Each structure stands twice: as C-alpha cells, then as structure tokens.
Amino acid sequence: APTDLAKKNLLSSNVQGSIYKTGNTVIDSLNFISSDLEILKIANVDWIKNKVILSTIHRRENWGERLENICSGIKKIIEVHKDVVFIIPMHKNKIIRDSLKNNLNDLEQVILTEPLDYKSILSVIKQCFCILSDSGGIQEEAPSFRKPILILRETTERQEIIDSGKGCLVGTNSKSIYDVVNKLIIDKYFYNSMTKGENPFGDGTASSKILEICLEKLGKKIS
C-alpha cells in the first residue's frame, strides 16, 4: 500500500494477508526522471520574474459552467497580479479546449499549450509557483517539488494531500480560487506552510521495498 491511510482502508475492508506500506512507485519514477530536468523554454515566460502557475483541467464533472467559473477565477488573478503567468496544457477533448480558448486565448498572461510529455510537465512543476488542477496524479507529484497544489474539486480520493497540509480543495467557485491563490502570493507564511515536510505518498524507495518484501516471501535473498 502507498500510504498509512491506504493500508488502514485495506484493513478496514477485511483484506486478508500481509499488508505493507511501501510508498507509491510514481515517486520512484519522478525521482529517476527529475534528476536531469532542464528548464523548459516557453514563450513569454520568465521563470525568475514571473510567478508561474501550472493549471491542468480535464474532469468531466468540471465541464460547462464549472469550467467557465475556473476561467473567471484565472482572469481575476491575472487582473490583480501582473507578474503571474498561467501555463495551461490543454486536454485533447474538444469541449475543454473550446472553453479554454474562448475564455483565455487572447490573454497575454495565459499560455495555452498542447499536452506536455512527462519530462516537460515535471520541469514545469519544478519551476512553477503553485498548481491549480483537477488531476489526480499531479497531487502525488507536487509535494516532491514542494509546490502547493489547489484542487479544483469538492472532494479528492487522495486525502493524504489534504491531511498533510500540502494541498487544499478550492472547488470551482471563481472567488474561492482567487482568494486562495491571492493568499499564496501575498502571505509567505501560508505559502511556506504548504511546502514543508516530506511527500506523504512516498520517498522514492517503494520499488526496492516491494522487491525486498517479494523476495522475502519467496525465501530469496538479494544478491
């Protein structure tokens, strides 16, 4: 199991057999890939002068009015904070792309891109100020780079990110989105409080732990 909560859930579901907490192998992959990341060159982005906010949006539950509200929150943020730049890799779904383009395409502080490959998205996470997202996996990756993540949903299956204080649920209300991002920008204590401590989803050694456990169960020794 990747976390203590995941292990607890398995036990409470009466899963039989030995259960071990190892961490999530996605953190192993992240650590392996991120060891030689290069700064991604994106037009109109100054990684030193700009506060870059990465935003990924794709969930069906956020189509329509909710996505419009998210875009309104983004507009309010860049209206007040002229040093903020949004990088938004657009999902291939036409409904999402059309909504993002209709609302944000003409704004200088918003960069709409095609989907980024894994190494490129990790580079942006590493360099950005914070993350606005309704995605799942990025909630596990952000803490490894000590980046606050604001989740564009009312709930998350990854409760550990909330319990650890490294992420918060902001939903899709435009005011809520603006208020929390604004607080991150103006309140260093609040920002730092979301970047402290280790990643609750693992330390990058899950694969070796799993291997050791499997070999032990098989009565083998690591040569």
Side-chain angles (χ1 to χ4, degrees), residues 72-121:
S72 294
I74 291 172
K75 289 178 182 178
K76 179 64 174 177
I77 293 164
I78 61 174
E79 178 185 329
V80 175
H81 298 283
K82 299 303 181 182
D83 61 338
V84 167
V85 172
F86 276 87
I87 295 177
I88 307 178
M90 294 183 293
H91 194 276
K92 286 293 187 180
N93 186 285
K94 188 175 185 300
I95 294 173
I96 299 171
R97 294 171 77 89
D98 286 350
S99 183
L100 290 173
K101 287 180 179 179
N102 290 339
N103 282 280
L104 305 172
N105 200 44
D106 296 329
L107 302 176
E108 291 185 0
Q109 290 171 254
V110 177
I111 300 170
L112 302 176
T113 75
E114 291 302 313
L116 299 175
D117 61 38
Y118 185 53
K119 200 166 186 177
S120 296
I121 199 76

Side-chain angles (χ1 to χ4, degrees), residues 143-146 164 166 192-200:
S144 286
F145 294 108
R146 302 188 184 280
S164 67
K166 293 174 175 55
N192 291 337
S193 72
M194 295 185 69
T195 65
K196 294 178 180 178
E198 300 303 318
N199 190 329

Side-chain angles (χ1 to χ4, degrees), residues 33-44:
I33 296 295
S34 64
S35 60
D36 62 346
L37 287 178
E38 297 180 358
I39 296 177
L40 200 64
K41 294 181 179 179
I42 299 178
N44 300 325

Side-chain angles (χ1 to χ4, degrees), residues 24-35 37 118 122 141 145 203-207:
N24 194 324
T25 53
V26 74
I27 309 304
D28 299 24
S29 174
L30 179 150
N31 287 350
F32 179 76
I33 296 295
S34 64
S35 60
L37 287 178
Y118 185 53
L122 289 185
E141 294 161 342
F145 294 108
D203 59 5
T205 61
S207 299

